[in-house]
Amino acid sequence: MLGSLTAAAENHDPTGAFPDGGFPVLLGYSLSKTAVNALTVMYANELREEGILVNSVSPNWVPTDANDHSGILSREQGAVMPVRMATLPDGGPTGTFTCSDATGAGLTLPW
């Protein structure tokens, strides 16, 4: 989510990890995530005709050493979308930015 230019411009986190108006300013981290998202779109466009799917996916805010084991989702909930996106069938979505959510349905994030 921190790589979404739309979310940053709107100062709104669509995942619910941060309150409205509280989009965090983490320059180095956010810039690196934005670069990964741009690379995702470029690879998706380059490999689309070959049937290779390229998507960005986030587990969302899950407990890790980096966040002192806090988070809004469990590690198991966070694993749902990365696994789903890694096992997409031929013809599945490409060039998307998706994250895990508490429902298991996932959330497509804006670029």
Side-chain angles (χ1 to χ4, degrees):
M1 179 278 307
L2 293 177
S4 169
L5 293 174
T6 301
E10 294 175 354
N11 202 17
H12 168 73
D13 171 11
T15 72
F18 300 99
D20 275 348
F23 196 89
V25 178
L26 302 168
L27 293 179
Y29 187 83
S30 295
L31 289 172
S32 69
K33 298 300 179 188
T34 302
V36 168
N37 289 343
L39 191 61
T40 298
V41 171
M42 290 178 195
Y43 278 141
N45 287 337
E46 182 69 24
L47 299 169
R48 187 180 315 267
E49 288 184 23
E50 296 174 38
I52 298 172
L53 308 176
V54 183
N55 297 286
S56 286
V57 65
S58 168
N60 205 324
W61 190 270
V62 297
T64 66
D65 289 345
N67 63 25
D68 200 26
H69 301 280
S70 65
I72 63 171
L73 298 180
S74 68
R75 289 184 299 269
E76 292 79 14
Q77 289 172 312
V80 170
M81 287 312 295
V83 170
R84 186 174 298 156
M85 296 303 280
T87 58
L88 287 171
D90 290 345
T94 192
T96 67
F97 182 18
T98 307
C99 77
S100 296
D101 66 2
T103 70
L107 176 65
T108 299
L109 298 170
W111 290 115

Short mmCIF file of all heavy atoms in Angstrom, two decimals, residues 17-64:
data_model
loop_
_atom_site.label_atom_id
_atom_site.label_comp_id
_atom_site.label_asym_id
_atom_site.label_seq_id
_atom_site.Cartn_x
_atom_site.Cartn_y
_atom_site.Cartn_z
N ALA A 17 -4.97 -0.09 7.37
CA ALA A 17 -3.87 -0.17 8.34
C ALA A 17 -3.61 1.17 9.00
O ALA A 17 -3.18 1.23 10.15
CB ALA A 17 -2.60 -0.68 7.65
N PHE A 18 -3.87 2.26 8.28
CA PHE A 18 -3.65 3.61 8.80
C PHE A 18 -4.95 4.41 8.68
O PHE A 18 -5.67 4.26 7.70
CB PHE A 18 -2.53 4.33 8.04
CG PHE A 18 -1.22 3.61 8.13
CD1 PHE A 18 -0.80 2.78 7.09
CD2 PHE A 18 -0.41 3.74 9.24
CE1 PHE A 18 0.40 2.10 7.17
CE2 PHE A 18 0.80 3.06 9.32
CZ PHE A 18 1.21 2.24 8.29
N PRO A 19 -5.25 5.27 9.65
CA PRO A 19 -6.49 6.06 9.57
C PRO A 19 -6.44 7.08 8.44
O PRO A 19 -5.35 7.49 8.02
CB PRO A 19 -6.55 6.75 10.93
CG PRO A 19 -5.14 6.83 11.38
CD PRO A 19 -4.45 5.60 10.82
N ASP A 20 -7.62 7.50 7.96
CA ASP A 20 -7.68 8.55 6.95
C ASP A 20 -6.91 9.77 7.42
O ASP A 20 -7.02 10.16 8.59
CB ASP A 20 -9.13 8.93 6.63
CG ASP A 20 -9.75 8.03 5.59
OD1 ASP A 20 -9.01 7.26 4.95
OD2 ASP A 20 -10.98 8.09 5.41
N GLY A 21 -6.17 10.36 6.52
CA GLY A 21 -5.35 11.52 6.86
C GLY A 21 -4.05 11.15 7.54
O GLY A 21 -3.26 12.02 7.88
N GLY A 22 -3.82 9.86 7.72
CA GLY A 22 -2.61 9.41 8.42
C GLY A 22 -1.69 8.59 7.56
O GLY A 22 -0.94 7.75 8.06
N PHE A 23 -1.74 8.81 6.24
CA PHE A 23 -0.85 8.06 5.34
C PHE A 23 0.60 8.36 5.75
O PHE A 23 1.02 9.51 5.78
CB PHE A 23 -1.09 8.47 3.88
CG PHE A 23 -0.52 7.51 2.89
CD1 PHE A 23 -1.27 6.43 2.44
CD2 PHE A 23 0.76 7.67 2.40
CE1 PHE A 23 -0.75 5.53 1.52
CE2 PHE A 23 1.29 6.78 1.48
CZ PHE A 23 0.52 5.71 1.04
N PRO A 24 1.37 7.34 6.10
CA PRO A 24 2.71 7.58 6.65
C PRO A 24 3.71 8.10 5.62
O PRO A 24 3.63 7.77 4.44
CB PRO A 24 3.14 6.21 7.16
CG PRO A 24 2.31 5.24 6.39
CD PRO A 24 1.03 5.93 6.04
N VAL A 25 4.62 8.93 6.10
CA VAL A 25 5.70 9.45 5.26
C VAL A 25 6.96 8.65 5.61
O VAL A 25 7.64 8.94 6.59
CB VAL A 25 5.91 10.96 5.50
CG1 VAL A 25 7.08 11.45 4.65
CG2 VAL A 25 4.65 11.72 5.20
N LEU A 26 7.22 7.63 4.84
CA LEU A 26 8.39 6.78 5.00
C LEU A 26 9.12 6.81 3.66
O LEU A 26 8.97 5.91 2.83
CB LEU A 26 7.98 5.35 5.38
CG LEU A 26 7.15 5.22 6.65
CD1 LEU A 26 6.57 3.82 6.77
CD2 LEU A 26 7.99 5.56 7.87
N LEU A 27 9.88 7.86 3.43
CA LEU A 27 10.41 8.15 2.09
C LEU A 27 11.11 6.97 1.44
O LEU A 27 10.74 6.57 0.34
CB LEU A 27 11.31 9.37 2.14
CG LEU A 27 10.62 10.69 2.47
CD1 LEU A 27 11.64 11.82 2.51
CD2 LEU A 27 9.53 10.99 1.48
N GLY A 28 12.14 6.45 2.05
CA GLY A 28 12.91 5.38 1.42
C GLY A 28 12.07 4.14 1.17
O GLY A 28 12.10 3.55 0.08
N TYR A 29 11.29 3.74 2.15
CA TYR A 29 10.46 2.54 2.02
C TYR A 29 9.40 2.74 0.93
O TYR A 29 9.24 1.89 0.05
CB TYR A 29 9.79 2.22 3.36
CG TYR A 29 9.05 0.91 3.38
CD1 TYR A 29 9.73 -0.28 3.61
CD2 TYR A 29 7.69 0.87 3.15
CE1 TYR A 29 9.05 -1.49 3.62
CE2 TYR A 29 7.00 -0.34 3.16
CZ TYR A 29 7.69 -1.51 3.40
OH TYR A 29 7.01 -2.70 3.41
N SER A 30 8.67 3.85 1.01
CA SER A 30 7.60 4.10 0.03
C SER A 30 8.15 4.24 -1.39
O SER A 30 7.55 3.73 -2.34
CB SER A 30 6.82 5.36 0.41
OG SER A 30 6.14 5.15 1.63
N LEU A 31 9.28 4.92 -1.54
CA LEU A 31 9.87 5.07 -2.87
C LEU A 31 10.28 3.73 -3.45
O LEU A 31 10.09 3.47 -4.65
CB LEU A 31 11.06 6.02 -2.83
CG LEU A 31 10.70 7.49 -2.61
CD1 LEU A 31 11.96 8.32 -2.39
CD2 LEU A 31 9.90 8.03 -3.77
N SER A 32 10.84 2.85 -2.63
CA SER A 32 11.25 1.53 -3.14
C SER A 32 10.03 0.71 -3.54
O SER A 32 10.06 0.00 -4.55
CB SER A 32 12.09 0.78 -2.10
OG SER A 32 11.32 0.39 -0.98
N LYS A 33 8.93 0.81 -2.80
CA LYS A 33 7.71 0.09 -3.15
C LYS A 33 7.09 0.66 -4.43
O LYS A 33 6.57 -0.07 -5.26
CB LYS A 33 6.69 0.15 -2.01
CG LYS A 33 7.16 -0.52 -0.74
CD LYS A 33 7.47 -1.97 -0.97
CE LYS A 33 7.97 -2.61 0.30
NZ LYS A 33 8.46 -3.96 0.11
N THR A 34 7.13 1.98 -4.60
CA THR A 34 6.62 2.61 -5.82
C THR A 34 7.43 2.14 -7.03
O THR A 34 6.86 1.86 -8.10
CB THR A 34 6.66 4.14 -5.70
OG1 THR A 34 5.89 4.52 -4.56
CG2 THR A 34 6.10 4.81 -6.93
N ALA A 35 8.73 2.01 -6.86
CA ALA A 35 9.58 1.53 -7.96
C ALA A 35 9.23 0.08 -8.32
O ALA A 35 9.17 -0.27 -9.50
CB ALA A 35 11.04 1.64 -7.58
N VAL A 36 8.97 -0.75 -7.32
CA VAL A 36 8.57 -2.14 -7.59
C VAL A 36 7.25 -2.17 -8.35
O VAL A 36 7.08 -2.96 -9.29
CB VAL A 36 8.46 -2.95 -6.27
CG1 VAL A 36 7.78 -4.29 -6.50
CG2 VAL A 36 9.84 -3.16 -5.67
N ASN A 37 6.32 -1.30 -7.98
CA ASN A 37 5.03 -1.25 -8.69
C ASN A 37 5.22 -0.83 -10.15
O ASN A 37 4.59 -1.40 -11.05
CB ASN A 37 4.06 -0.32 -7.98
CG ASN A 37 3.59 -0.91 -6.67
OD1 ASN A 37 3.72 -2.10 -6.43
ND2 ASN A 37 3.03 -0.07 -5.82
N ALA A 38 6.07 0.15 -10.40
CA ALA A 38 6.34 0.57 -11.78
C ALA A 38 6.97 -0.58 -12.57
O ALA A 38 6.61 -0.83 -13.72
CB ALA A 38 7.24 1.80 -11.80
N LEU A 39 7.89 -1.28 -11.95
CA LEU A 39 8.54 -2.42 -12.59
C LEU A 39 7.53 -3.53 -12.90
O LEU A 39 7.58 -4.16 -13.96
CB LEU A 39 9.66 -2.95 -11.70
CG LEU A 39 10.61 -3.96 -12.30
CD1 LEU A 39 11.35 -3.38 -13.50
CD2 LEU A 39 11.61 -4.42 -11.24
N THR A 40 6.57 -3.72 -12.00
CA THR A 40 5.52 -4.71 -12.22
C THR A 40 4.74 -4.40 -13.49
O THR A 40 4.51 -5.28 -14.32
CB THR A 40 4.54 -4.74 -11.01
OG1 THR A 40 5.27 -5.14 -9.85
CG2 THR A 40 3.39 -5.69 -11.26
N VAL A 41 4.33 -3.16 -13.66
CA VAL A 41 3.57 -2.76 -14.85
C VAL A 41 4.41 -2.95 -16.10
O VAL A 41 3.92 -3.47 -17.12
CB VAL A 41 3.07 -1.31 -14.72
CG1 VAL A 41 2.47 -0.82 -16.02
CG2 VAL A 41 2.07 -1.19 -13.59
N MET A 42 5.68 -2.56 -16.06
CA MET A 42 6.55 -2.70 -17.23
C MET A 42 6.73 -4.16 -17.61
O MET A 42 6.62 -4.52 -18.79
CB MET A 42 7.89 -2.04 -16.95
CG MET A 42 7.80 -0.55 -16.89
SD MET A 42 9.42 0.15 -16.48
CE MET A 42 8.94 1.80 -16.03
N TYR A 43 7.00 -5.03 -16.62
CA TYR A 43 7.16 -6.46 -16.92
C TYR A 43 5.84 -7.08 -17.39
O TYR A 43 5.82 -7.91 -18.29
CB TYR A 43 7.68 -7.23 -15.71
CG TYR A 43 9.18 -7.15 -15.52
CD1 TYR A 43 9.73 -7.04 -14.25
CD2 TYR A 43 10.04 -7.21 -16.60
CE1 TYR A 43 11.09 -6.97 -14.06
CE2 TYR A 43 11.41 -7.15 -16.42
CZ TYR A 43 11.93 -7.04 -15.15
OH TYR A 43 13.28 -6.99 -14.97
N ALA A 44 4.72 -6.68 -16.78
CA ALA A 44 3.42 -7.22 -17.20
C ALA A 44 3.16 -6.89 -18.66
O ALA A 44 2.72 -7.76 -19.43
CB ALA A 44 2.31 -6.67 -16.31
N ASN A 45 3.44 -5.67 -19.06
CA ASN A 45 3.23 -5.28 -20.46
C ASN A 45 4.20 -6.01 -21.39
O ASN A 45 3.81 -6.43 -22.48
CB ASN A 45 3.37 -3.77 -20.62
CG ASN A 45 2.19 -3.03 -20.04
OD1 ASN A 45 1.10 -3.58 -19.91
ND2 ASN A 45 2.40 -1.78 -19.68
N GLU A 46 5.42 -6.15 -20.97
CA GLU A 46 6.43 -6.81 -21.81
C GLU A 46 6.13 -8.31 -22.00
O GLU A 46 6.37 -8.86 -23.07
CB GLU A 46 7.82 -6.65 -21.17
CG GLU A 46 8.95 -7.25 -21.96
CD GLU A 46 9.25 -6.52 -23.26
OE1 GLU A 46 8.92 -5.31 -23.38
OE2 GLU A 46 9.82 -7.15 -24.17
N LEU A 47 5.60 -8.96 -20.98
CA LEU A 47 5.43 -10.42 -21.01
C LEU A 47 4.01 -10.88 -21.27
O LEU A 47 3.75 -12.08 -21.36
CB LEU A 47 5.95 -11.00 -19.69
CG LEU A 47 7.43 -10.74 -19.42
CD1 LEU A 47 7.80 -11.11 -18.00
CD2 LEU A 47 8.30 -11.46 -20.43
N ARG A 48 3.09 -9.94 -21.41
CA ARG A 48 1.68 -10.26 -21.60
C ARG A 48 1.44 -11.19 -22.80
O ARG A 48 0.72 -12.18 -22.70
CB ARG A 48 0.90 -8.96 -21.79
CG ARG A 48 -0.61 -9.11 -21.82
CD ARG A 48 -1.29 -7.76 -22.01
NE ARG A 48 -0.76 -6.71 -21.18
CZ ARG A 48 -1.23 -6.36 -19.97
NH1 ARG A 48 -2.25 -7.01 -19.48
NH2 ARG A 48 -0.68 -5.39 -19.29
N GLU A 49 2.03 -10.89 -23.94
CA GLU A 49 1.82 -11.69 -25.15
C GLU A 49 2.36 -13.11 -25.02
O GLU A 49 1.91 -14.02 -25.71
CB GLU A 49 2.42 -11.00 -26.36
CG GLU A 49 1.65 -9.77 -26.79
CD GLU A 49 2.21 -9.15 -28.05
OE1 GLU A 49 2.88 -9.85 -28.83
OE2 GLU A 49 1.96 -7.95 -28.24
N GLU A 50 3.31 -13.31 -24.12
CA GLU A 50 3.86 -14.64 -23.89
C GLU A 50 3.05 -15.43 -22.86
O GLU A 50 3.39 -16.57 -22.55
CB GLU A 50 5.32 -14.53 -23.45
CG GLU A 50 6.21 -13.93 -24.54
CD GLU A 50 7.62 -13.69 -24.05
OE1 GLU A 50 8.13 -14.53 -23.28
OE2 GLU A 50 8.21 -12.67 -24.44
N GLY A 51 2.02 -14.81 -22.30
CA GLY A 51 1.17 -15.49 -21.33
C GLY A 51 1.75 -15.53 -19.93
O GLY A 51 1.26 -16.28 -19.08
N ILE A 52 2.79 -14.73 -19.68
CA ILE A 52 3.40 -14.68 -18.34
C ILE A 52 2.72 -13.58 -17.54
O ILE A 52 2.66 -12.43 -17.98
CB ILE A 52 4.91 -14.45 -18.43
CG1 ILE A 52 5.57 -15.62 -19.17
CG2 ILE A 52 5.51 -14.27 -17.03
CD1 ILE A 52 7.02 -15.41 -19.49
N LEU A 53 2.19 -13.95 -16.38
CA LEU A 53 1.48 -13.01 -15.52
C LEU A 53 2.44 -12.38 -14.52
O LEU A 53 3.22 -13.08 -13.87
CB LEU A 53 0.36 -13.73 -14.77
CG LEU A 53 -0.61 -14.55 -15.62
CD1 LEU A 53 -1.61 -15.28 -14.74
CD2 LEU A 53 -1.30 -13.67 -16.63
N VAL A 54 2.37 -11.07 -14.39
CA VAL A 54 3.24 -10.34 -13.46
C VAL A 54 2.35 -9.40 -12.64
O VAL A 54 1.69 -8.53 -13.19
CB VAL A 54 4.32 -9.53 -14.20
CG1 VAL A 54 5.24 -8.83 -13.21
CG2 VAL A 54 5.12 -10.42 -15.15
N ASN A 55 2.34 -9.60 -11.33
CA ASN A 55 1.52 -8.80 -10.43
C ASN A 55 2.31 -8.46 -9.16
O ASN A 55 3.16 -9.23 -8.74
CB ASN A 55 0.27 -9.57 -10.02
CG ASN A 55 -0.62 -9.88 -11.19
OD1 ASN A 55 -1.30 -9.01 -11.70
ND2 ASN A 55 -0.61 -11.14 -11.64
N SER A 56 1.99 -7.31 -8.57
CA SER A 56 2.50 -6.98 -7.24
C SER A 56 1.48 -7.47 -6.24
O SER A 56 0.28 -7.35 -6.45
CB SER A 56 2.67 -5.46 -7.08
OG SER A 56 3.77 -4.99 -7.80
N VAL A 57 1.96 -8.01 -5.14
CA VAL A 57 1.06 -8.49 -4.09
C VAL A 57 1.67 -8.20 -2.73
O VAL A 57 2.88 -8.27 -2.55
CB VAL A 57 0.74 -9.99 -4.28
CG1 VAL A 57 1.96 -10.85 -4.11
CG2 VAL A 57 -0.37 -10.44 -3.37
N SER A 58 0.81 -7.82 -1.81
CA SER A 58 1.24 -7.50 -0.45
C SER A 58 0.48 -8.37 0.54
O SER A 58 -0.72 -8.57 0.39
CB SER A 58 0.93 -6.03 -0.16
OG SER A 58 1.07 -5.75 1.22
N PRO A 59 1.17 -8.84 1.57
CA PRO A 59 0.47 -9.59 2.61
C PRO A 59 -0.35 -8.67 3.52
O PRO A 59 -1.13 -9.14 4.33
CB PRO A 59 1.59 -10.27 3.39
CG PRO A 59 2.76 -9.35 3.21
CD PRO A 59 2.60 -8.78 1.80
N ASN A 60 -0.18 -7.35 3.38
CA ASN A 60 -0.79 -6.34 4.23
C ASN A 60 0.05 -6.22 5.51
O ASN A 60 1.18 -6.68 5.55
CB ASN A 60 -2.27 -6.65 4.52
CG ASN A 60 -3.09 -5.42 4.86
OD1 ASN A 60 -2.61 -4.50 5.51
ND2 ASN A 60 -4.32 -5.40 4.41
N TRP A 61 -0.49 -5.60 6.52
CA TRP A 61 0.24 -5.34 7.77
C TRP A 61 0.12 -6.58 8.64
O TRP A 61 -0.92 -6.83 9.26
CB TRP A 61 -0.36 -4.12 8.46
CG TRP A 61 0.43 -3.61 9.61
CD1 TRP A 61 0.28 -4.00 10.91
CD2 TRP A 61 1.48 -2.65 9.60
NE1 TRP A 61 1.17 -3.33 11.70
CE2 TRP A 61 1.92 -2.49 10.91
CE3 TRP A 61 2.09 -1.92 8.58
CZ2 TRP A 61 2.94 -1.62 11.26
CZ3 TRP A 61 3.10 -1.06 8.93
CH2 TRP A 61 3.52 -0.91 10.24
N VAL A 62 1.16 -7.41 8.65
CA VAL A 62 1.18 -8.64 9.44
C VAL A 62 2.31 -8.58 10.46
O VAL A 62 3.27 -7.84 10.28
CB VAL A 62 1.33 -9.88 8.53
CG1 VAL A 62 0.15 -10.03 7.59
CG2 VAL A 62 2.63 -9.85 7.75
N PRO A 63 2.22 -9.35 11.54
CA PRO A 63 3.25 -9.33 12.57
C PRO A 63 4.60 -9.84 12.04
O PRO A 63 4.68 -10.96 11.53
CB PRO A 63 2.72 -10.26 13.66
CG PRO A 63 1.28 -10.49 13.35
CD PRO A 63 1.12 -10.24 11.89
N THR A 64 5.62 -9.01 12.15
CA THR A 64 6.98 -9.39 11.77
C THR A 64 7.96 -8.75 12.75
O THR A 64 7.59 -7.91 13.56
CB THR A 64 7.35 -8.91 10.35
OG1 THR A 64 7.38 -7.48 10.36
CG2 THR A 64 6.37 -9.40 9.31
#
